[in-house]
Amino acid sequence: MSLKKRNKRSIRFNITISFALAMIIIAILTFVLVRFVSQEILESTTSKYLMSAVDSNANKIDYVKKKSSKSKIRKDIVIKYKKGYLEIDRDFLGIMHDVESGLYDENGDMLYGKNPLADEKKIDFVPSFSTSRIYKQKINGKPYYIYDRKIVGNHKKGLWIRGMVSLVQEEKQLMDITKATAVFLPLVIIIAIIVGFLISNRIIRPIRKMETVTSNISKGSDLKKRIEVGDGKDELTMLARDFNEMIERLDDSFEAEKRFISDASHELRTPMSVIMAQMELTMEKERTAPEYKAAMEVISRQSNRMSTLIDNLLDYTRLEQRAQEYEMIQFDLTDLVRSICHDMKLVKTKNITLEYDVEEGINVKGNQVLVSRMLQNLIDNAYKYGNDDGHIWVTLKKSPSGDVVLSVKDDGIGISEEGQKHIFDRFYREDTSRTHKKRLSYGYGLGLSMVKKIAQMHGAQCLVDSKEGVGSQFVIIF
């Protein structure tokens, strides 16, 4: 059956049918097994009864040379045989478990007993085996077990006992068992369908809840809805938990994207508003050449601001969506940190002094371009928010546990406790009366977000420790 056809049926229907089919197969196999085992048991029991009866009759035959008075008293049967007589217990003809026995000589002539095969007193089979055999044979359309046994003893040579028992009764019992099983089988099937329906209904219940939640989310775009999850550890409960976690991540992602779009729009709107206002003001009337030049400088400055922001947005988007494009290789982090610090030491912004202490021979696996940008962003931030005549300290060393620790510390204006919770968020810039004016002129709140993203791409931790008016320290632990 194709997947397309199966999908047209409900899961409950498929589970019910599958369970019912499984139970039907089990019932049929049980039926076959019961019939086979019953037949084996009945035939085995009948053959044992037959052999027991024939063996018992074999012990009821004695050979004597002369007739004795005891045989008359016991009313035994006396038959002339060779040079003497056979004394046969009168119980020889007693039917034991429906077994009929006959005594034959070596020529197949019946000496005494019953021959259910035919009316004549002679059988057309002369045993060619050594002592005994048992076999099944159909006679006149009826099944029989036949047991031929040689009588062993002095002067009994050539004597045989043939015992026979009809299997008609056994087959009747087997047929009764078959009928009872056949009657029971439809009942099993009905019960299987009912049980399958109940089981499927119980299995489907949490799936229905999941379907309801997903449908509500799909129709209403409400990612706040969640599936009610209990304390169980079954597969469906785990699936529901995973689904809730997935929706949670999607919700966070969508919220982050909304904030990103909103913040990006806000950041772009400011320079665009300045450009449009400057153009409208300039075009109101004829201006002098210096006035036109001043207007063009404002427009150029705001255009550069927009271009820088767009470049930063593209860089951040590439980090978010194309992280696999950056090749990770083993490289010398010591040389990289030393070279960056040497170059950025020449900046001399606000007369800030940059010092660095780098341990030799430290290698990590990563992307040199990304690690360079991460360190440059941290040092650039330290310059932006440092005090005049301040200091920046960059250190690189290995911890006793073997971790690689890269630290950038400054004695600048610091970050508030609340600001430290959001400092790595995109477009976040701490907005306080003390720092707003100064920070508004710097960056777009993407630098530290990129620092944390690059650290995560390298499996590193990004930590911050800061105090307002004292300074900040950013630590990257590989």
Side-chain angles (χ1 to χ4, degrees):
M1 184 185 296
S2 66
L3 181 61
K4 197 171 186 179
K5 290 182 178 178
R6 284 201 304 267
N7 288 340
K8 293 180 180 179
R9 299 174 180 175
S10 65
I11 296 177
R12 176 192 290 179
F13 178 83
N14 288 331
I15 293 176
T16 303
I17 292 299
S18 299
F19 188 82
L21 288 176
M23 292 301 297
I24 289 171
I25 292 172
I26 293 173
I28 292 174
L29 292 176
T30 303
F31 171 76
V32 174
L33 182 63
V34 167
R35 180 178 172 83
F36 174 78
V37 172
S38 300
Q39 184 175 0
E40 289 294 317
I41 291 174
L42 288 173
E43 291 188 357
S44 175
T45 303
T46 302
S47 64
K48 288 179 181 178
Y49 286 159
L50 173 61
M51 294 171 67
S52 175
V54 171
D55 292 341
S56 176
N57 278 342
N59 295 326
K60 296 177 181 179
I61 301 173
D62 293 320
Y63 176 83
V64 295
K65 292 183 178 180
K66 295 182 180 180
K67 293 182 180 181
S68 64
S69 57
K70 291 181 180 180
S71 61
K72 292 182 179 180
I73 296 173
R74 294 195 303 264
K75 297 182 180 180
D76 291 339
I77 307 301
V78 180
I79 299 173
K80 177 68 177 177
Y81 183 69
K82 295 184 179 180
K83 296 181 179 181
Y85 298 92
L86 294 175
E87 290 185 349
I88 304 173
D89 194 299
R90 61 194 176 108
D91 294 333
F92 184 90
L93 291 179
I95 297 176
M96 180 180 183
H97 304 303
D98 297 326
V99 175
E100 297 179 343
S101 300
L103 178 62
Y104 298 85
D105 62 17
E106 57 188 359
N107 296 319
D109 293 320
M110 177 183 284
L111 301 178
Y112 181 73
K114 293 183 178 180
N115 180 8
L117 297 180
D119 295 333
E120 62 268 17
K121 299 299 183 179
K122 184 179 179 68
I123 59 175
D124 57 2
F125 172 74
V126 178
S128 59
F129 43 89
S130 57
T131 54
S132 63
R133 72 166 182 171
I134 186 169
Y135 57 97
K136 189 172 9 176
Q137 181 178 335
K138 273 199 171 185
I139 303 171
N140 298 326
K142 296 181 180 180
Y144 282 85
Y145 256 133
I146 301 174
Y147 179 48
D148 292 329
R149 183 186 185 279
K150 180 186 289 186
I151 300 176
V152 180
N154 294 332
H155 305 290
K156 297 180 183 179
K157 184 177 180 180
L159 291 177
W160 291 84
I161 295 181
R162 166 167 286 184
M164 301 181 65
V165 62
S166 173
L167 295 176
V168 173
Q169 187 62 30
E170 284 70 17
E171 289 199 346
K172 184 178 181 301
Q173 293 178 8
L174 186 61
M175 185 57 65
D176 291 340
I177 294 174
T178 302
K179 289 180 180 179
T181 308
V183 171
F184 179 70
L185 184 59
L187 181 62
V188 170
I189 295 172
I190 294 172
I191 294 175
I193 294 174
I194 295 173
V195 172
F197 179 81
L198 295 176
I199 291 176
S200 64
N201 192 49
R202 184 171 182 177
I203 294 174
I204 292 300
R205 192 179 300 123
I207 298 178
R208 279 184 169 178
K209 291 182 180 178
M210 294 175 63
E211 192 275 333
T212 301
V213 173
T214 54
S215 178
N216 291 336
I217 292 174
S218 176
K219 293 176 182 178
S221 300
D222 184 5
L223 293 177
K224 302 299 182 185
K225 289 183 171 64
R226 297 293 182 269
I227 300 173
E228 295 181 7
V229 181
D231 299 328
K233 294 184 178 180
D234 58 277
E235 290 81 355
L236 287 175
T237 302
M238 298 299 293
L239 178 61
R241 289 198 186 110
D242 292 341
F243 179 83
N244 284 343
E245 291 176 3
M246 179 188 70
I247 296 299
E248 188 75 32
R249 289 195 298 271
L250 286 174
D251 188 24
D252 292 342
S253 178
F254 288 154
E255 289 296 328
E257 290 303 318
K258 288 179 182 178
R259 290 195 303 271
F260 182 84
I261 294 172
S262 175
D263 293 339
S265 300
H266 175 75
E267 295 292 338
L268 288 170
R269 187 182 297 114
T270 301
M272 181 60 69
S273 299
V274 173
I275 291 173
M276 292 178 67
Q278 185 64 51
M279 291 177 64
E280 290 176 2
L281 179 64
T282 304
M283 294 175 65
E284 282 180 355
K285 61 181 181 178
E286 290 291 330
R287 303 289 181 179
T288 63
E291 288 176 335
Y292 279 123
K293 184 179 179 181
M296 294 302 293
E297 286 176 352
V298 172
I299 293 173
S300 176
R301 188 165 54 251
Q302 294 300 324
S303 297
N304 289 334
R305 179 180 173 87
M306 289 178 62
S307 178
T308 302
L309 175 59
I310 291 171
D311 288 341
N312 288 339
L313 289 173
L314 291 175
D315 289 340
Y316 193 88
T317 302
R318 188 183 178 198
L319 284 176
E320 286 269 300
Q321 299 181 355
R322 301 181 181 179
Q324 69 278 4
E325 293 183 3
Y326 293 96
E327 184 181 7
M328 299 291 180
I329 60 173
Q330 201 77 15
F331 69 92
D332 191 331
L333 184 59
T334 298
D335 288 344
L336 180 66
V337 174
R338 183 184 288 116
S339 63
I340 292 174
C341 290
H342 179 270
D343 294 342
M344 297 196 74
K345 187 175 183 180
L346 305 175
V347 175
K348 296 291 184 180
T349 301
K350 304 178 190 176
N351 201 31
I352 294 175
T353 302
L354 189 153
E355 299 177 5
Y356 56 93
D357 180 16
V358 180
E359 187 177 322
E360 295 292 336
I362 295 181
N363 294 282
V364 296
K365 185 176 182 180
N367 184 275
Q368 294 189 60
V369 175
L370 293 180
V371 175
S372 298
R373 180 177 295 176
M374 178 175 66
L375 180 55
Q376 287 170 358
N377 283 356
L378 290 174
I379 296 175
D380 187 53
N381 261 22
Y383 273 118
K384 288 176 181 177
Y385 304 113
N387 294 317
D388 294 342
D389 301 318
H391 298 82
I392 299 173
W393 297 273
V394 178
T395 60
L396 176 67
K397 61 182 180 179
K398 271 193 175 182
S399 68
S401 62
D403 293 333
V404 175
V405 181
L406 174 62
S407 170
V408 178
K409 184 179 179 182
D410 65 65
D411 55 1
I413 61 176
I415 309 168
S416 67
E417 291 186 7
E418 182 64 25
Q420 292 179 46
K421 298 177 183 178
H422 306 284
I423 196 67
F424 295 109
D425 294 347
R426 292 175 298 191
F427 295 109
Y428 177 79
R429 287 175 293 177
E430 194 171 12
D431 187 12
T432 66
S433 59
R434 184 181 66 82
T435 63
H436 175 65
K437 184 176 180 181
K438 179 177 287 188
R439 294 195 181 190
L440 188 60
S441 61
Y442 298 138
Y444 305 96
L446 288 174
L448 290 179
S449 296
M450 294 182 70
V451 166
K452 185 169 184 180
K453 182 63 180 178
I454 292 171
Q456 290 174 342
M457 289 172 63
H458 288 77
Q461 289 181 279
C462 184
L463 307 176
V464 60
D465 181 24
S466 183
K467 188 174 182 180
E468 287 187 282
V470 177
S472 304
Q473 182 179 15
F474 289 87
V475 180
I476 309 297
I477 304 175
F478 292 91

